[in-house]
Amino acid sequence: MSVSRRLFLATLGVASVSGGSLARAGDLPQPLVIYDDELKNGFQNWSWAKTQLSVPVGNGKPIRVEGEPWSALALHHEPFSTEGYSKLTFVINGGMNGGQTLMVKTMADGKAIEADFAIQLKAKTWAAVEVPLKDINAAGKTIDTLIWQGQGAAYPGYYITRIQLE
């Protein structure tokens, strides 16, 4: 693939497969914005939880998520390497009730990469979260989905925005 085509695709946020090689972090924007008022850079909503994108809240438009036991917000992209990125960052709010416990994971080839990284949300409070990729077993791997999975009970709505890899 020519350098100009690669730069064009990177600008569009397209992870390309060419000659059998997957997109590398160097071909993707730095930081890689996944969601900020809307999905960005080729990410798609593949959630198995009830989600509403671009919900007007204050000055932003976060994703609202609520779900049944084990449901998840899942943001999918064509497979790409996490080389060059060290953390996943996002801003999250527990909504009116809070108390949700979410496991933060990644997926590759449609299978969750097991990790024990849990966050607990506070009611009516925005929190900036940094998740080191090594802590979710995603450092230097090729992934295709980021997930925030509820646990063994249904959970009330929460809000998430400014999701990116840095």
Side-chain angles (χ1 to χ4, degrees):
M1 178 183 303
S2 72
V3 171
S4 60
R5 177 158 168 75
R6 207 173 352 178
L7 290 173
F8 173 74
L9 290 173
T11 301
L12 291 177
V14 176
S16 124
V17 178
S18 173
S21 64
L22 296 169
R24 306 214 75 30
D27 295 334
L28 297 170
Q30 292 285 337
L32 177 57
V33 177
I34 297 157
Y35 186 92
D36 191 10
D37 289 345
E38 64 185 6
L39 288 167
K40 308 266 186 175
N41 293 308
F43 279 85
Q44 300 173 0
N45 181 8
W46 282 25
S47 300
W48 59 95
K50 183 178 178 184
T51 59
Q52 295 173 286
L53 301 177
S54 301
V55 175
V57 175
N59 294 331
K61 294 180 182 175
I63 303 170
R64 184 180 188 281
V65 183
E66 67 179 284
E68 298 301 318
W70 308 112
S71 65
L73 169 64
L75 302 179
H76 178 80
H77 191 282
E78 291 299 314
F80 66 96
S81 172
T82 62
E83 285 293 330
Y85 299 109
S86 63
K87 61 187 172 182
L88 169 67
T89 64
F90 52 92
V91 179
I92 196 162
N93 182 315
M96 294 299 290
N97 301 311
Q100 304 91 329
T101 298
L102 304 173
M103 297 297 290
V104 181
K105 299 180 180 185
T106 59
M107 296 179 77
D109 296 323
K111 297 176 187 161
I113 297 172
E114 288 307 314
D116 291 323
F117 195 96
I119 58 173
Q120 184 142 30
L121 308 185
K122 294 183 180 180
K124 303 176 191 174
T125 303
W126 287 102
V129 179
E130 289 189 3
V131 181
L133 292 181
K134 65 180 178 53
D135 291 356
I136 56 173
N137 299 316
K141 292 194 176 164
T142 298
I143 65 171
D144 55 36
T145 308
L146 299 161
I147 61 176
W148 292 260
Q149 187 172 29
Q151 298 303 286
Y155 52 92
Y158 69 86
Y159 300 88
I160 185 169
T161 192
R162 292 191 215 140
I163 304 166
Q164 61 187 27
L165 289 170
E166 299 177 20

